[in-house]
Amino acid sequence: MNIILILVDSLNKEALRIYNPSTVCETPNIQAFAGRSHVFDGHFIASLPCMPARREIFAGRKEFMWRPWGSLEVFDPRLPREVQKQGYNTGLVTDHYHYWEETANGYMQGFMSLEMIRGHETDYHTLPDSGPAPKWVEKMSEFRSPYHMRQYWENVKNFKGEEDYFPAKTFTAAGNWLEKYAKRAPFFLQVESFDVHEPFHIPEPYASMYTQGIEGNADDFNIWPPYQVYKDLDAFMDQTTPQELAYLRSQYYGKTTMVDKWLGRFFDKIGELGLWDDTLVIFTTDHGHDLGQRGVFGKQYPHYDSHANIPMIVWNPHHRGEGQRVPHLTQTVDIFSTVIEAAGGKPPEETRHSRSILPLMEGKEAVRSEITYGTFGQGVCITDGEWTLFKSPIKDKPLFSYSTMIARPLLVDNPVDGRVGAMPPQPVDQDRFDPSIPFPLWKLPIKIDPRTHDDFLFHRSVDPDQTQNLWDQEPEQRTRMLKLLRTTLDQEGYPLEQLARLGLEEFEPVAAQ
């Protein structure tokens, strides 16, 4: 089969009618695609945010227990190169500008062809000037770097119509890639739309498509609230209004509808070229994005289902789903093995965490009975599908990052994603801390302020919105899930100090079934 992997960044299940029938957000092309494909209901994040999730896709390895946002490691396999071993042509079409940063070395270099649409978010694509900017740009600057907000404005200020916006450019370029290279099949094409990522800046008709009943001037609303620094997020949430949050949601929906339109054009191109009958198409995201629920904005820990249980829809021409629902637990990290096996290959022996989802579309048994997920330096989450537990760090316990590299990108500069910081501290040790890796790792002390030290337990089937914390009311389930967490972590691997940091030393692993 040919293989197409489509990642739409920050996409919430709540905005898709296939998952949320009551949503007002219109996504007819995703809906139609889902109607003939397999729809995965139990798909989750693993490591957050953007680049940690991509390391899972490219290397099949969870990293949230070991290190934050950073480059691929020297020992990591490279997904496109694994696929190329099977005789495939590979290509990446994306506007995800993080791939150009020092913090993402090694990801895009493995593809045989690359097209990068520059200028999204704070991409240093053009040089900002100090001239006047619209009020909405100044509004974003109240809680974010004015220089960065100017950078975004400089990148997009000459856009005239929706054809200039990033989803149009990205999916059009992906269609052009197919026209140029599809005849050289088999191929693996990875298409990434950074939208629906913020800032939620969109043209008409999308900007006013979902604003009915919202009072106020659009220029007075912030379309890019903060979340990387907690004090800034708290300050924003303290002063925001229900009208502003409703406007934010309307712009998120508008951007989702705009992405759907141009995704539909790409789907049309697949049809025009006669590729549906021999092409596996995986449509998913790296994470969702909370829009003010529980007083938060973004995708930080605790990882509630609102941004952790993410959409995935898969068209398999050999096992056509016709809208069939797949309830089994899967994760972002599983894309690695899925793509390699779809290409006829076998994942590398050192692959620890990735499981192919192809058997699930053949009606076979689940490949997982529980999953763990999280963000480096925060707590650890586990669900068995029925119950979900968030185990937060204990105060004043040490934290270290582990890598073959000593590099600024691996320092924790903020508690959400750990991107570029100051000069690294002196490592305290170097050793074979991870026996699954054939190289010694540097051990660097990290100071981080977790979002919370509170623990949570939710009964998902009874409380799907996760509003009732049953940590104290359900001691038997709490103990069972803590033991299951210890067991799963023992299987996946972790730095030894994490047991004390997470308060898991007293819990013996569950005996193997």
Side-chain angles (χ1 to χ4, degrees), residues 107-411:
Y107 290 88
M108 63 184 181
Q109 288 86 352
F111 289 94
M112 298 169 69
S113 68
L114 167 70
E115 180 154 359
M116 182 77 185
I117 291 88
R118 298 290 304 280
H120 210 306
E121 207 193 53
T122 60
D123 183 13
Y124 296 137
H125 181 51
T126 51
L127 186 64
D129 62 30
S130 57
K135 187 176 180 181
W136 61 267
V137 177
E138 302 300 332
K139 190 68 179 177
M140 294 190 302
S141 301
E142 292 179 3
F143 292 96
R144 286 183 174 270
S145 161
Y147 181 84
H148 285 158
M149 300 306 97
R150 287 280 179 148
Q151 180 70 66
Y152 176 74
W153 168 239
E154 190 69 30
N155 290 344
V156 304
K157 69 180 183 182
N158 293 320
F159 286 5
K160 295 180 173 60
E162 69 175 281
E163 292 79 6
D164 295 323
Y165 282 74
F166 297 103
K169 291 179 178 178
T170 300
F171 286 114
T172 298
N176 293 338
W177 191 97
L178 290 180
E179 286 188 332
K180 186 174 182 180
Y181 295 116
K183 292 181 180 179
R184 304 183 190 181
F187 65 82
F188 167 50
L189 173 62
Q190 185 164 322
V191 185
E192 295 195 36
S193 173
F194 197 51
D195 283 332
V196 291
H197 197 284
E198 74 272 30
F200 302 136
H201 171 227
I202 48 177
E204 294 292 357
Y206 309 102
S208 58
M209 191 172 286
Y210 303 105
T211 58
Q212 295 83 355
I214 298 175
E215 299 176 357
N217 189 327
D219 283 346
D220 294 329
F221 297 137
N222 189 336
I223 60 170
W224 196 357
Y227 56 84
Q228 283 89 348
V229 179
Y230 292 145
K231 64 180 178 62
D232 293 341
L233 170 60
D234 292 340
F236 169 77
M237 295 305 300
D238 285 345
Q239 59 84 54
T240 192
T241 65
Q243 293 296 315
E244 184 170 40
L245 293 178
Y247 184 77
L248 270 167
R249 184 174 296 273
S250 76
Q251 301 308 285
Y252 178 89
Y253 286 162
K255 181 169 273 196
T256 303
T257 298
M258 182 171 68
V259 168
D260 179 82
K261 173 182 173 177
W262 292 96
L263 173 65
R265 298 278 183 91
F266 179 61
F267 285 157
D268 290 343
K269 182 63 66 175
I270 295 175
E272 291 172 13
L273 297 174
L275 296 173
W276 284 114
D277 288 342
D278 59 0
T279 303
L280 179 78
V281 181
I282 303 171
F283 173 83
T284 187
T285 184
D286 52 356
H287 51 70
H289 194 98
D290 288 341
L291 299 168
Q293 304 98 306
R294 307 178 188 87
V296 297
F297 186 85
K299 58 264 187 175
Q300 63 266 43
Y301 180 85
H303 296 308
Y304 291 94
D305 281 6
S306 52
H307 70 263
N309 183 199
I310 55 178
M312 183 168 71
I313 305 168
V314 182
W315 163 258
N316 186 340
H318 297 170
H319 299 278
R320 303 184 181 193
E322 306 300 336
Q324 180 179 343
R325 314 297 290 217
V326 180
H328 305 301
L329 294 172
T330 58
Q331 294 192 271
T332 304
V333 71
D334 295 331
I335 293 173
F336 175 81
S337 290
T338 302
V339 170
I340 293 174
E341 290 192 9
K346 183 179 180 181
E349 290 184 3
E350 64 268 23
T351 301
R352 299 194 70 177
H353 304 136
S354 184
R355 306 286 184 271
S356 173
I357 66 170
L358 294 179
L360 301 181
M361 291 179 282
E362 301 170 9
K364 297 181 180 179
E365 295 183 357
V367 296
R368 300 179 181 278
S369 56
E370 61 280 323
I371 54 173
T372 61
Y373 46 104
T375 297
F376 177 78
Q378 299 293 324
V380 177
C381 312
I382 185 169
T383 186
D384 61 3
E386 180 75 10
W387 291 83
T388 295
L389 178 141
F390 304 153
K391 188 66 187 74
S392 298
I394 296 173
K395 290 183 179 179
D396 301 323
K397 293 291 184 179
L399 174 68
F400 302 90
S401 71
Y402 296 82
S403 174
T404 58
M405 302 173 284
I406 300 179
R408 294 190 183 199
L410 284 168
L411 299 182

Side-chain angles (χ1 to χ4, degrees), residues 457-459 462-463 465-471 473:
L457 177 69
F458 299 104
H459 195 176
V462 176
D463 179 24
D465 293 330
Q466 297 175 309
T467 60
Q468 302 174 39
N469 183 6
L470 302 177
W471 186 267
Q473 292 92 322

